[in-house]
């Protein structure tokens, strides 16, 4: 995924906080606690404290934040003629959401029905009959709640918009105001630190500090985002205020999200780094590791290497294959960062790096240790 920033003045790259964007990820963590193991305690306590009526309404609308992260949580990026600034409070962010025109609100709210068309600037289902039919068909395929929400939204956006705002306000009263009060200190400090880094050392250093998945090309014209998705956008569209906004979140890890809808100001929503959180492997490295482990011989070698260090000769004898063949397989595993090597006297010992393998998934680790 790429973001074009060619000719963008440095002052147009800004770090800000957004209560509404943080609420969106908090709701995601509530509905998908498996994505966020570090938040199990918060999610369990918060879910248990919800009044039944609010819990039911959150269940009705969870498709806005469970499987896709709707752009309605970052309306500042889509207000036509806006300045791209976030609100200081949730109420201010919701006021910005109210300023988002119906076409953009509806398209953002129905991302779950048209996600495959997200990056191409598809017509609004409010004005285009084909897109309207597609949205209704996709909503019907996803379930009765999605179908009813889509039908009401396309029939008359205003009542649905009021319902959504009231839902977010009730979340604020029930749990989010306290959550934001605790998170805000860290997020403001992070945004201030990254802003200072941007001014003193430039965009490249600031992006490096945000995430290892972000990189700036040599000409400082394009930001590349290492994600398993394709897309591109520009930060130089004056219709929504040329610029790029980066927003820290305390709920986001391991997600790094990029708003790249055509005509919207690009936004990078990044998790604040914490020492206890591992740095993500690149997509290229993940692919290397999956390919390395897909070979049946290397799977069997891993079974040995998971238990104890082995020499090449020992592995060859154990599996009745030649030492050169073992060496070729070990080379693939080492290139993928899955095997460590150390010398003891005249022997070279190889061993599986269990920490790295564990991050790929417990099923594989349990399989090789079974």
């Amino acid at each position: 995924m790429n973001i074009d920033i060619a000719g963008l003045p440095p002052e147009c790259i800004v770090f800000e906080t957004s209560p509404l964007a943080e609420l969106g990820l908090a709701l995601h963590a509530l509905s998908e606690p498996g994505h966020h193991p570090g938040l199990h305690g918060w999610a369990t306590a918060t879910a248990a404290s919800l009044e039944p009526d609010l819990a039911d309404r959150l269940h009705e609308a969870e498709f806005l934040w469970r499987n896709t992260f709707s752009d309605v949580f970052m309306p500042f990026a889509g207000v036509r003629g806006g300045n791209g600034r976030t609100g200081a409070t949730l109420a201010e962010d919701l006021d910005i959401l109210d300023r988002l025109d119906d076409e953009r609100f509806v398209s953002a709210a129905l991302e779950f029905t048209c996600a495959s068309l997200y990056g191409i600037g598809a017509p609004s289902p409010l004005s285009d009959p084909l897109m309207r039919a597609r949205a209704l068909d996709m909503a019907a395929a996803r379930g009765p709640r999605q179908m009813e929400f889509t039908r009401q939204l396309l029939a008359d956006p205003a009542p649905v918009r009021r319902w959504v705002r009231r839902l977010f306000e009730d979340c604020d009263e029930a749990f989010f105001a306290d959550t934001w009060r605790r998170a805000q200190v860290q997020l403001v400090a992070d945004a201030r630190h990254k802003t200072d880094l941007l001014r003193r050392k430039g965009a490249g250093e600031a992006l490096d500090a945000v995430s290892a998945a972000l990189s700036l090309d040599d000409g400082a014209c394009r930001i590349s985002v290492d994600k398993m998705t394709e897309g591109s956008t520009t930060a130089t569209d004056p219709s929504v205020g040329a610029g790029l906004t980066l927003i820290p979140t305390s709920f986001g890890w391991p997600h790094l999200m990029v708003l790249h809808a055509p005509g919207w100001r690009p936004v990078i929503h990044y998790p604040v780094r914490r020492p206890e959180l591992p740095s993500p492997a690149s997509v290229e490295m993940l692919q290397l590791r999956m390919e390395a482990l897909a070979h049946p011989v290397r799977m069997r070698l891993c079974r040995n290497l998971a238990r104890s260090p082995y020499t090449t000769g020992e592995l060859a004898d154990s599996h009745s294959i030649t030492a050169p063949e073992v060496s070729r397989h070990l080379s693939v595993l080492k290139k993928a960062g899955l095997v460590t090597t150390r010398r003891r006297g005249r022997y070279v010992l190889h061993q599986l790096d269990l920490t790295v393998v564990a991050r790929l998934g417990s099923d594989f680790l349990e399989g090789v240790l079974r």
Side-chain angles (χ1 to χ4, degrees):
M1 181 178 295
N2 300 310
I3 302 173
D4 177 19
I5 61 168
L8 187 70
E11 61 270 18
C12 290
I13 300 176
V14 296
F15 289 86
E16 298 200 355
T17 60
S18 167
L20 182 56
E22 190 74 347
L23 172 60
L25 274 175
L27 292 172
H28 171 74
L30 275 178
S31 60
E32 285 286 6
H35 289 193
H36 306 273
L39 297 173
H40 278 175
W42 175 87
T44 300
T46 301
S49 69
L50 295 177
E51 293 291 337
D53 173 68
L54 179 57
D56 288 344
R57 285 185 289 146
L58 289 176
H59 181 66
E60 286 181 41
E62 69 174 3
F63 48 83
L64 291 175
W65 53 77
R66 183 167 192 165
N67 300 319
T68 60
F69 185 74
S70 173
D71 288 344
V72 300
F73 290 103
M74 291 186 279
F76 65 89
V79 172
R80 301 180 198 272
N83 59 9
R85 302 306 299 267
T86 63
T89 64
L90 182 64
E92 289 182 12
D93 264 350
L94 292 175
D95 288 343
I96 297 172
L97 179 60
D98 288 344
R99 290 168 49 206
L100 200 65
D101 63 52
D102 280 347
E103 285 200 347
R104 292 203 164 184
F105 180 91
V106 169
S107 294
L110 295 183
E111 282 171 27
F112 71 94
T113 67
C114 304
S116 61
L117 303 176
Y118 178 85
I120 65 173
S124 167
L126 279 181
S127 56
D128 186 278
L130 290 177
M131 286 301 299
R132 181 186 185 91
R134 174 191 171 91
L136 289 168
D137 285 346
M138 296 299 291
R142 282 161 171 75
R145 288 183 294 107
Q146 292 90 325
M147 180 61 187
E148 182 61 18
F149 177 86
T150 302
R151 187 189 63 76
Q152 292 183 12
L153 187 61
L154 292 175
D156 186 1
V160 179
R161 296 186 66 159
R162 289 194 295 270
W163 184 87
V164 168
R165 174 163 183 149
R166 178 62 186 271
L167 176 64
F168 294 161
E169 289 173 337
D170 288 349
C171 287
D172 193 46
E173 183 178 345
F175 68 90
F176 185 69
D178 183 58
T179 298
W180 176 249
R181 192 159 39 247
R182 295 196 307 270
Q184 184 180 17
V185 175
Q186 180 191 30
L187 299 183
V188 169
D190 185 87
R192 186 180 298 122
H193 169 67
K194 300 293 195 305
T195 299
D196 182 59
L197 201 57
L198 176 68
R199 289 172 179 165
R200 290 188 297 107
K201 297 190 175 181
E205 291 276 355
L207 293 171
D208 285 344
V210 167
S211 171
L214 301 179
S215 60
L216 184 65
D217 68 0
D218 292 339
C221 294
R222 186 178 66 180
I223 298 170
S224 296
V225 188
D226 190 32
K227 286 173 65 75
M228 286 188 185
T229 185
E230 294 184 3
S232 61
T233 187
T234 178
T236 58
D237 184 352
S239 67
V240 289
L244 168 68
T245 302
L246 297 98
I247 297 180
T249 169
S250 60
F251 282 91
W253 189 89
H255 307 302
L256 175 72
M257 288 176 287
V258 181
L259 188 163
H260 63 284
W264 289 56
R265 180 186 179 100
V267 180
I268 297 175
H269 201 187
Y270 66 93
V272 172
R273 284 187 179 176
R274 300 202 302 269
E276 69 272 20
L277 297 178
S279 297
S282 68
V283 171
E284 181 183 6
M285 179 58 75
L286 180 59
Q287 183 177 347
L288 278 177
R289 289 173 178 170
M290 300 300 285
E291 290 173 351
L293 294 171
H295 196 285
V297 173
R298 290 195 284 272
M299 284 277 285
R300 291 196 297 271
L301 291 176
C302 284
R303 188 176 187 279
N304 294 88
L305 297 170
R307 289 165 168 76
S308 173
Y310 278 79
T311 67
T312 301
E314 288 172 332
L315 290 169
D317 291 342
S318 177
H319 294 275
S320 300
I321 56 179
T322 66
E325 188 176 355
V326 170
S327 294
R328 285 194 295 272
H329 287 301
L330 288 174
S331 178
V332 173
L333 292 168
K334 282 189 277 189
K335 186 177 180 181
L338 296 167
V339 166
T340 60
T341 298
R342 74 176 190 271
R343 180 174 291 277
R344 188 165 63 197
R346 64 190 181 89
Y347 297 103
V348 176
L349 298 170
H350 312 282
Q351 190 165 20
L352 196 66
D353 189 328
L354 296 182
T355 302
V356 172
V357 173
R359 291 185 59 195
L360 287 174
S362 60
D363 284 347
F364 176 82
L365 186 58
E366 290 167 8
V368 297
L369 291 175
R370 188 176 302 136

